[in-house]
Amino acid sequence: MVRTYSDIDIATVSVMFEFIHSVFPDFKFMWLSAEMKGSLPRELDFCNDKINAEQVQWNFAQHADIPLTVPRMIQATERVLIMEYVNGRRCDDLAYLRQHNIDPSQVSREIGRVFAEMTYVQGFLHCDPHPGNLFVRPRAQGSASHGYNFDLVLLDHGLYRQLPSQFRYEYAEMWYALMRGDQAQIKHWSRKLSGTDLYQLFSIILTGHNWSTIETKSLGSTSAAEFNLDALTQQQPDLFQNITEVLASVPPVLLLVLKTNDLLRMVDQRLFADQPPAVQHHAQLRTWLRISHYCLIAIRDARAAEISHRPAAVPLARVYRLVLNRLGFWFSDTALSVYKALLVVQDMFVRWQALFRRSTIA
């Protein structure tokens, strides 16, 4: 019955889009119809869930330090899926986490690592990471090789996208330029990814922050300003028209990546909802630092591949460029690690202050 109705829905949407395009030839969202035709049948086929889940298990098999669990898929047909039962609760259930002495900041960090690995390294991305698809399962401390007292349980494997290596490289370069506030590089990679010259708006859509925060190199610092939609609307009277132009120009896979990023941001906000504002802000900074780390990995690997395949008159010249590439990554990544350690110390100090105030009031 669901399959029948989905076929009707697909046909209806296709006819509507064709009609809109015939009336408004400048309509730029015809690809949505094609995307729906391709995605919906796959999401309704449980065999596809089984294939995707097994691929994720294989991708993370060598990452014993990441507490990710994918329920075992026992059997699948198009309409029936039999899978392992895994106990747990939604990852944003703070009362449940406290009951089992699970640190929300660790949950946040490991969710971020999982999806950064998928986005920048593996290129096989789960595109629906809302809290109902991310469970936390308690474990005894030290009972698993990753050393945490919980597992992340990833559910619903119907919606995945394969991210091409060139896309991952350009996306990583764009994010790394945003972190540095390098406007020339932001313009360059924004044009590559979005196909428009609206680099400021594209940057705002990617980060969820004001352009002033990005251009002043404050995205990864404690001085980042809160996003203000009203101010942005006043500065750009054609804002919604420009948003439409950007969204119509980007490749469809990027829209799913943006959706995934927004869902992960929402999960992060909920995990730190009961923390002091300074700790919440530091959590956001650690997210930027984690993204920077994985961007550096993607850029390092892409440049190493390019150097290895580029003809070299002198073999030692290739080795020299590979060493420089590796050293550049190491210096940049070490700076990120030092800053991250500083944030951890600052968080401890803020939490102690909050506990001291509460004990004083009591």
Side-chain angles (χ1 to χ4, degrees):
M1 184 64 72
V2 174
R3 168 70 71 180
T4 302
Y5 282 125
S6 72
D7 290 340
I8 294 171
D9 289 343
I10 290 171
T12 303
V13 169
S14 297
V15 170
M16 288 175 59
F17 273 51
E18 291 291 345
F19 173 73
I20 293 171
H21 188 255
S22 67
V23 177
F24 303 100
D26 292 335
F27 181 68
K28 298 178 180 179
F29 289 92
M30 288 301 293
W31 59 266
L32 278 172
S33 175
E35 180 71 16
M36 187 176 177
K37 284 180 184 177
S39 297
L40 197 54
R42 286 199 299 272
E43 289 195 59
L44 294 173
D45 183 352
F46 284 127
C47 292
N48 189 56
D49 281 59
K50 184 174 185 291
I51 292 168
N52 290 339
E54 290 170 348
Q55 179 66 54
V56 173
Q57 283 180 314
W58 188 87
N59 287 350
F60 282 91
Q62 303 304 315
H63 291 277
D65 60 323
I66 296 179
L68 180 68
T69 292
V70 177
R72 184 168 59 90
M73 303 293 155
I74 299 168
Q75 189 175 350
T77 66
E78 183 180 356
R79 298 180 63 182
V80 178
L81 176 64
I82 304 172
M83 58 190 285
E84 172 192 9
Y85 174 77
V86 179
N87 189 32
R89 295 282 280 274
R90 287 167 54 116
C91 66
D92 61 346
D93 188 336
L94 295 177
Y96 181 77
L97 298 183
R98 279 194 293 269
Q99 179 187 344
H100 292 90
N101 297 315
I102 296 171
D103 185 350
S105 66
Q106 290 185 343
V107 174
S108 167
R109 181 178 66 235
E110 295 310 310
I111 290 173
R113 287 180 68 200
V114 167
F115 282 89
E117 281 283 342
M118 288 181 172
T119 303
Y120 297 101
V121 180
Q122 300 167 0
F124 189 63
L125 180 63
H126 185 300
C127 295
D128 199 18
H130 61 77
N133 285 339
L134 284 165
F135 273 31
V136 171
R137 174 176 66 179
R139 295 192 68 135
Q141 188 74 47
S143 63
S145 58
H146 52 65
Y148 294 100
N149 66 338
F150 65 90
D151 287 326
L152 293 174
V153 183
L154 187 59
L155 304 173
D156 189 358
H157 299 276
L159 184 58
Y160 276 78
R161 280 298 178 272
Q162 195 78 46
L163 308 181
S165 57
Q166 184 62 27
F167 170 84
R168 298 200 309 271
Y169 170 64
E170 292 175 359
Y171 186 65
E173 286 279 18
M174 178 68 190
W175 264 106
Y176 194 49
L178 288 167
M179 297 299 176
R180 303 192 317 274
D182 186 334
Q183 292 194 47
Q185 288 294 298
I186 290 171
K187 289 179 186 179
H188 174 76
W189 294 111
S190 175
R191 179 69 187 172
K192 284 264 191 183
L193 280 169
S194 72
T196 74
D197 293 320
L198 298 169
Y199 66 93
Q200 294 186 12
L201 180 58
F202 184 58
S203 301
I204 292 168
I205 291 172
L206 272 182
T207 63
H209 276 267
N210 297 320
W211 173 249
S212 60
T213 298
I214 298 166
E215 69 175 341
T216 56
K217 305 180 178 17
S218 301
L219 193 58
S221 76
T222 54
S223 59
E226 292 293 324
F227 177 71
N228 189 324
L229 180 59
D230 292 335
L232 183 61
T233 307
Q234 291 175 1
Q235 293 166 10
Q236 300 189 32
D238 299 328
L239 175 63
F240 294 105
Q241 180 182 336
N242 290 340
I243 290 175
T244 301
E245 182 179 343
V246 170
L247 296 181
S249 303
V250 300
V253 69
L254 180 53
L255 291 180
L256 283 172
V257 173
L258 293 175
K259 171 202 168 189
T260 302
N261 286 347
D262 285 342
L263 287 171
L264 291 172
R265 261 188 222 124
M266 179 263 291
V267 169
D268 239 17
Q269 288 169 0
R270 291 185 179 180
L271 282 169
F272 289 93
D274 62 350
Q275 293 297 313
V279 174
Q280 293 179 15
H281 185 60
H282 289 171
Q284 176 68 81
L285 294 184
R286 280 194 294 273
T287 298
W288 299 137
L289 294 174
R290 184 166 52 244
I291 289 173
S292 296
H293 168 71
Y294 279 95
C295 286
L296 286 170
I297 291 175
I299 293 167
R300 177 201 67 191
D301 292 347
R303 290 178 179 172
E306 181 190 358
I307 293 167
S308 298
H309 290 95
R310 188 190 306 161
V314 181
L316 282 177
R318 177 182 289 139
V319 174
Y320 175 70
R321 287 196 292 269
L322 286 170
V323 170
L324 281 183
N325 181 51
R326 177 69 66 167
L327 283 174
F329 164 79
W330 184 82
F331 281 119
S332 299
D333 201 48
T334 299
L336 293 179
S337 299
V338 171
Y339 187 27
K340 198 184 303 181
L342 177 62
L343 290 177
V344 170
V345 173
Q346 289 178 338
D347 274 0
M348 290 172 59
F349 181 69
V350 170
R351 286 192 175 104
W352 287 339
Q353 276 187 320
L355 285 171
F356 178 73
R357 288 196 193 99
R358 281 200 291 269
S359 64
T360 303
I361 293 171

